[in-house]
């Protein structure tokens, strides 16, 4: 299954059979006080800098989230998108719980983006799916619905199926639905990661869709979070994750290692190139 | 399936359903010139130091290999074993291609050790299995035979089955056979890791035995070997590896992360304790 995204002049394929695509998460105000300060002043320098450094570190797509308390993201999200796509030429993933902000961003996007996200709630499906169809975007479908979050992987699969069916009914193509299996903190529930990994396996096997995940949640409340996140990332990729949303500085090396082990990187070309790039950046 | 090892006063269970057991690989002269020099003089200080530091870093068992060109390991292996078991109280894994060295070590072992290794070759089976039976030791069975090394996981499984059958015929208990699936360099063969991982999965599913692996081979000839080895280790554990032979300083953190993700470490107790131990050692 191939999800095609586009930037101004580039096409990117997220392929369930191909190597992993990294979606950079760092343009996000959570725990980035300086980003909030600059964006509040309509100053996009730091956001652009985060865009460039993530691409150097291996990001193929950039997630753009400008949500912070009091923000008018229906104005700020499209403004940020415009500023970033003037400077870099990779596809974007527009990230907001506010359908008005999503629509405003869709209006200015050059290319073909990913919407982050729709979920199984009626309200969400009704607000987001028509936008994805109207503006020809791909969508991330989060496996929660009006009953909340279930801990049963089979039930999460059924929510993924529901989102897929509703998207197809809306005229969206199957390959443009990317599923997020939901990752929860393993410190709160010892089975949290197993539930996520089994959901990934089921969605991969039964639906064959591309799968994303913002996985740094899993290590919430624990020490040594990077190691835990890396281990979870490798296992998620093994089970069917194809386009994680993560900090490329922390995750790309491990993603490339997983691809090499899975025989998705013959002669270790991408693994070695990424290593050389990281070494070069250290020296600068 | 439970493989029980013993040191002077401790019992250790390698359990296919339990957390991973780390076998420390570092008492091995390969690329350790200083160890060769000291062992050649019957000086065991460095070997003992390596034993202690590996246990601090998370080793549950110590592999003892004293093979270097020109060595009389039928004399040196038992002498090293004696020196180490006077100082530390963990089970040992005696590692030599020379059955005379294995037997000499078995004669001085206090407790119940692992023999590294037997393989599917007639000569090996005939030399090692009677020793394991006579001295009540567990064995590592390497999946190669008189035809050499196969790249077909199903054939590797059949060699594992052959070793198991021959061991049982010799009076060795099923649970005392630990399989090594063989890890080869992914730089030479893009499918090398997939073959190993599939062998692990098959041995786990069809035979239910404990599985070991000296996995640092897989990254031979590549940069950034530690990251690659870590990714391969996590995937091996996911597929059924239960007692890797590795450098605990490099691998235990990732092993603990994998156990936590697999719900083998409720409330992250072992993961957190290991992290605290590592932090403490940094400060000393």
């Amino acid at each position: 299954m191939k999800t095609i995204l586009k930037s101004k002049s580039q096409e990117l394929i997220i392929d369930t059979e191909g190597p992993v695509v990294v979606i950079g998460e760092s343009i996000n105000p959570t725990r980035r006080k300086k980003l909030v300060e600059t964006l509040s002043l309509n100053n996009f320098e730091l956001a652009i800098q985060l865009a460039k450094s993530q691409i150097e570190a291996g990001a193929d797509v950039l997630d753009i989230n400008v949500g912070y308390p009091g923000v008018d993201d229906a104005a700020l999200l499209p403004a940020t998108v415009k500023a970033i796509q003037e400077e870099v030429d990779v596809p974007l993933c527009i990230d907001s719980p506010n359908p008005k902000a999503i629509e405003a961003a869709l209006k200015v996007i050059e290319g073909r983006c990913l919407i982050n996200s729709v979920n199984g709630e009626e309200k969400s499906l009704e607000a987001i799916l028509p936008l994805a169809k109207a503006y020809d975007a791909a969508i991330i479908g989060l496996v929660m619905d009006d009953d909340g979050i279930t801990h049963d992987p089979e039930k999460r699969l059924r929510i993924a199926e529901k989102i897929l069916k509703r998207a197809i009914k809306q005229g969206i193509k199957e390959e443009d639905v990317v599923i997020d299996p939901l990752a929860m903190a393993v410190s709160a529930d010892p089975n949290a990661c197993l539930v996520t990994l089994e959901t990934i396996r089921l969605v991969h096997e039964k639906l064959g869709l591309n799968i994303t995940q913002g996985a740094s949640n899993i290590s919430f409340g624990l020490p040594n979070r990077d190691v835990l996140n890396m281990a979870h990332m490798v296992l998620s990729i093994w089970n069917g994750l194809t386009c994680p949303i993560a900090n490329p500085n922390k995750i790309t090396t491990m993603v490339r290692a997983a691809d090499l082990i899975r025989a998705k990187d013959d002669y270790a070309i991408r693994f070695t190139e990424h290593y050389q790039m990281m070494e070069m950046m250290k020296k600068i």
Side-chain angles (χ1 to χ4, degrees), chain A residues 35-141:
Chain A
L35 188 61
V36 174
E37 283 170 20
T38 55
L39 289 175
S40 305
L41 302 167
N42 273 307
N43 171 348
F44 301 106
E45 264 179 55
L46 178 55
I48 289 164
Q49 190 186 311
L50 285 166
K52 290 181 176 171
S53 64
Q54 287 185 93
I55 293 168
E56 280 177 345
D60 305 293
V61 178
L62 297 175
D63 188 86
I64 316 282
N65 179 320
V66 297
Y68 52 83
V71 72
D72 173 14
D73 64 349
L76 186 58
L77 189 61
T80 311
V81 161
K82 278 167 86 171
I84 285 171
Q85 71 189 359
E86 266 174 36
E87 296 287 333
V88 301
D89 193 17
V90 300
L92 303 180
C93 174
I94 50 173
D95 185 354
S96 171
N98 176 6
K100 286 196 172 68
I102 295 287
E103 182 163 21
L106 286 168
K107 283 183 178 163
V108 301
I109 287 268
E110 302 180 79
R112 185 162 206 267
C113 74
L114 197 49
I115 296 173
N116 188 6
S117 58
V118 69
N119 64 51
E121 292 171 3
E122 274 309 313
K123 207 178 109 186
S124 174
L125 293 165
E126 284 165 19
I128 300 297
L129 295 182
L131 293 178
K133 174 60 185 167
Y135 292 91
D136 187 34
I139 51 166
I140 293 175

Side-chain angles (χ1 to χ4, degrees), chain A residues 164-178:
Chain A
L164 177 61
K165 271 185 200 160
R166 292 288 294 269
I168 289 171
K169 205 172 154 191
Q170 188 78 47
I172 295 165
K173 281 183 282 179
E174 181 184 21
E175 61 263 33
D176 287 328
V177 178
V178 176

